[in-house]
Amino acid sequence: MDTKTLCLGVISLGAASGYEIKKAFEEDGLNHIYHTSYGSIYPALTALTKEGLVVCSAMAQEKRPDKKVYTITEAGRGALLTALSAPPAEDKFRSDFLFTMFFAHLLPPQHVAKLLDERIAWYEGNLAKMESSQGCNAFVHGMGLAVYRSAADYLKSHRQEFLDHLSSADKLVAE
Amino acid sequence: MDTKTLCLGVISLGAASGYEIKKAFEEDGLNHIYHTSYGSIYPALTALTKEGLVVCSAMAQEKRPDKKVYTITEAGRGALLTALSAPPAEDKFRSDFLFTMFFAHLLPPQHVAKLLDERIAWYEGNLAKMESSQGCNAFVHGMGLAVYRSAADYLKSHRQEFLDHLSSADKLVAE
DNA sequence: TTTCGCATGTAAACAGTTACATGATTAC
DNA sequence: GTAATCATGTAACTGTTTACATGCGAAA
């Protein structure tokens, strides 16, 4: 899915500006699905407008840059449906944290402990946020919650065991 | 983490060729952490060699292209340690599947059902593979298992509810 | 006989992030 | 006064994927 399709999807839920699309990717339950930046959103909106998939109406604002609100067209709805009907590409996941844990035996155990604690705190912070705001798609929102919860639970319940294991391996090397 | 660091990590576990590094990212419990392709691995190995972080020994093979086996140097171990000590970047996740589910209300329910079933089958296939082969890091491997299991369980237990919800919403629109 | 696995590598195309550029308002 | 929010956009840089190029051996 390219940024154009992502923007088209958000706009299909209601007219929005580039700024609001970015916010949707940070807040509206889309944050654990995809990431984007202004550098890809604004050019995508320009391209969508040229292709006639959205129309742009500039809203003049006092003492602010004009807010450009994009509305989906019929052609846009068709293009979105086509994009959504294609077989979805494989999920792409990349985690520096997990990669680092894979090589935890090379690091000082107290550094690993810090990374684990930070990660647990991150999950718990995110879970709290997600639990308070039900996203606009309960199924997807629920899946995000379920996965994050299991990740947090796993880390909490295996943290000590893992650290113990690292220390004992360390000792063996020292001997 | 750039591809150079990823390769350095794999080589630190034992001398390997570019081909074997790719396999490690597909099989050895690294597959749910990072993805790479030959197009990024081979140039990374060339760069690592130039920087003196690995050394390359060509193994002549009969009726095959020479196999180039890379071994990590002391400088390489130092560089890996430095890279692993840096604060890990945020996880990056992108899922066409979840994005499509977010807009499932636009699709025919039987198409959504097919996508859900395919996804459940994908998780179960992966889980079976992962359960049979314990990766070389039990902690990371266990985390992958836990997360995949919770995703599969969520999909299985909410599949029908979600489809029912889509159909009933459809009916309301039709009326 | 066709596909899969082994085995390396380059170049072009594509995509995405970051930094830059600008600037007022509001809440702390 | 300082940070955050609102608001848009470009350009350079970085990184990744895909296609191309080559080719044998073994298994299905």
Side-chain angles (χ1 to χ4, degrees), chain B residues 17 19 39 42 61 64-68 70 94:
Chain B
S17 65
Y19 189 82
Y42 285 120
Q61 292 191 129
R64 287 265 165 105
D66 286 2
K67 188 175 176 175
K68 289 188 174 181
Y70 296 87
R94 29 186 52 209

Side-chain angles (χ1 to χ4, degrees), chain B residues 37-107:
Chain B
S37 56
Y38 292 129
S40 52
I41 290 171
Y42 285 120
L45 290 173
T46 306
L48 288 171
T49 305
K50 269 186 198 155
E51 290 166 33
L53 305 179
V54 297
V55 286
C56 169
S57 54
M59 310 273 263
Q61 292 191 129
E62 282 168 43
K63 301 182 183 174
R64 287 265 165 105
D66 286 2
K67 188 175 176 175
K68 289 188 174 181
V69 176
Y70 296 87
T71 310
I72 197 163
T73 63
E74 275 314 301
R77 289 199 187 275
L80 178 59
L81 192 57
T82 303
L84 291 174
S85 301
E90 281 229 334
D91 287 0
K92 272 164 202 167
F93 180 62
R94 29 186 52 209
S95 174
D96 271 24
F97 168 73
L98 249 21
F99 186 79
T100 304
M101 286 306 112
F102 201 89
F103 295 98
H105 57 276
L106 301 174
L107 297 168

Side-chain angles (χ1 to χ4, degrees), chain B residues 64-166:
Chain B
R64 287 265 165 105
D66 286 2
K67 188 175 176 175
K68 289 188 174 181
V69 176
Y70 296 87
T71 310
I72 197 163
T73 63
E74 275 314 301
R77 289 199 187 275
L80 178 59
L81 192 57
T82 303
L84 291 174
S85 301
E90 281 229 334
D91 287 0
K92 272 164 202 167
F93 180 62
R94 29 186 52 209
S95 174
D96 271 24
F97 168 73
L98 249 21
F99 186 79
T100 304
M101 286 306 112
F102 201 89
F103 295 98
H105 57 276
L106 301 174
L107 297 168
Q110 74 265 33
H111 182 233
V112 176
K114 199 184 133 218
L115 289 174
L116 288 168
D117 292 337
E118 282 169 358
R119 177 51 59 123
I120 290 167
W122 182 87
Y123 276 123
E124 298 201 320
N126 255 69
L127 281 166
K129 225 188 290 173
M130 288 167 78
E131 270 155 10
S132 65
S133 74
Q134 16 134 69
C136 73
N137 180 312
F139 180 75
V140 173
H141 187 251
M143 177 134 175
L145 273 173
V147 168
Y148 277 20
R149 252 188 225 123
S150 78
D153 288 348
Y154 181 87
L155 290 181
K156 279 191 276 184
S157 61
H158 290 78
R159 189 201 108 108
Q160 200 52 52
E161 182 198 355
F162 183 47
L163 290 172
D164 288 347
H165 173 255
L166 287 177

Side-chain angles (χ1 to χ4, degrees), chain A residues 23-32 35 120-136 141 144-145 148-149, chain B residues 90:
Chain A
K23 267 204 310 182
F25 276 100
E26 280 161 0
E27 291 163 18
D28 296 348
L30 249 57
N31 57 338
H32 54 277
H35 296 251
I120 290 167
W122 182 87
Y123 277 122
E124 298 201 319
N126 256 69
L127 281 165
K129 227 189 289 172
M130 286 168 78
E131 269 156 10
S132 66
S133 73
Q134 17 133 67
C136 72
H141 188 251
L145 273 173
Y148 276 20
R149 252 188 226 124
Chain B
E90 281 229 334

Side-chain angles (χ1 to χ4, degrees), chain B residues 30-43:
Chain B
L30 248 58
N31 58 336
H32 53 277
I33 299 180
Y34 257 101
H35 296 250
T36 36
S37 56
Y38 292 129
S40 52
I41 290 171
Y42 285 120

